[in-house]
Amino acid sequence: MSKSEHPMVDVTAACACGAVAMSVRGRIMAMLMCSCLDCQRATGTGHSSVALVPGSSLTITGPTSSFQRPADSGAVFTRHFCPTCGTPLHGQSSRAPDLRMIPIGFFAGQNDWFDPNQLIFARSRQAWDLVADHLPRYQTYREQER
C-alpha cells in the first residue's frame, strides 16, 4: 500500500489466541502516536501507535471485554480487548463516539500504510522512548485549527 495522509485500507487480523478477529475497511481518519500515561500502561512501552477510523469501518467477530476510565479531557475512554488473551482491540472516547482508535501493532505485517504525523501528550514522553524528531509534538491534545 502506498502512504498517504488518509489511506484506504482493507486489513484483517486476529488476537494472540485467535478468539477475536478484527477488520478495518475504509479510509483512515488520522494516524498518531500518544505518550499519555494511560497509553504507556496499556502498551507496556513509552507510547501507543494508533489510527483513528470511523466505527462503521470496523468489524469485530468473537467475544470482547471492555473497561472505562476518565480521560484527562473529562471524557470517558473505553478500551476493548480479548477476554481470553488480553490483546488490545480498540479504544473509544465519549468525545468522539463515532471514531475508534485501533492499535497499529494488531495488524503486524499489514501496516506499512501507517505514517504518524504527530505525537500527543508529549509532556509525559519518556526520555528513553525514541520518537522520531520530525514529528510535531503537542503537550496534550492537538490544537484544533480554527
Side-chain angles (χ1 to χ4, degrees), residues 57-118:
S57 69
L58 191 66
T59 302
I60 297 175
T61 56
T64 66
S65 289
S66 65
F67 67 94
Q68 296 181 331
R69 65 159 185 84
D72 286 343
S73 66
V76 174
F77 192 78
T78 305
R79 287 194 184 272
H80 299 264
F81 59 94
C82 172
T84 302
C85 65
T87 298
L89 301 169
H90 67 92
Q92 180 179 2
S93 172
S94 63
R95 272 179 23 148
D98 296 332
L99 294 178
R100 304 294 182 270
M101 291 177 55
I102 58 168
I104 296 307
F106 187 87
F107 298 101
Q110 304 177 74
N111 52 15
D112 60 344
W113 48 267
F114 183 67
D115 188 19
N117 66 357
Q118 61 186 294

Side-chain angles (χ1 to χ4, degrees), residues 13-26:
C15 65
C17 73
V20 180
M22 184 166 67
S23 298
V24 177
R25 289 183 177 85

Side-chain angles (χ1 to χ4, degrees), residues 4-7 9 11 22 24 27-36 38-54 58 69 77-80 88-93 95 99-108 111 113-121 129 131 135 140-142:
S4 71
E5 188 173 340
H6 298 284
V9 300
V11 292
M22 184 166 67
V24 177
R27 185 156 314 277
I28 300 297
M29 305 305 293
M31 296 176 275
L32 60 107
M33 299 167 89
C34 179
S35 286
C36 78
D38 185 60
C39 281
Q40 290 181 41
R41 284 184 204 94
T43 63
T45 190
H47 68 272
S48 63
S49 297
V50 298
L52 297 177
V53 300
L58 191 66
R69 65 159 185 84
F77 192 78
T78 305
R79 287 194 184 272
H80 299 264
L89 301 169
H90 67 92
Q92 180 179 2
S93 172
R95 272 179 23 148
L99 294 178
R100 304 294 182 270
M101 291 177 55
I102 58 168
I104 296 307
F106 187 87
F107 298 101
N111 52 15
W113 48 267
F114 183 67
D115 188 19
N117 66 357
Q118 61 186 294
L119 172 69
I120 61 173
F121 284 91
D129 187 28
V131 174
L135 287 179
T140 59
Y141 293 102
R142 180 177 177 175

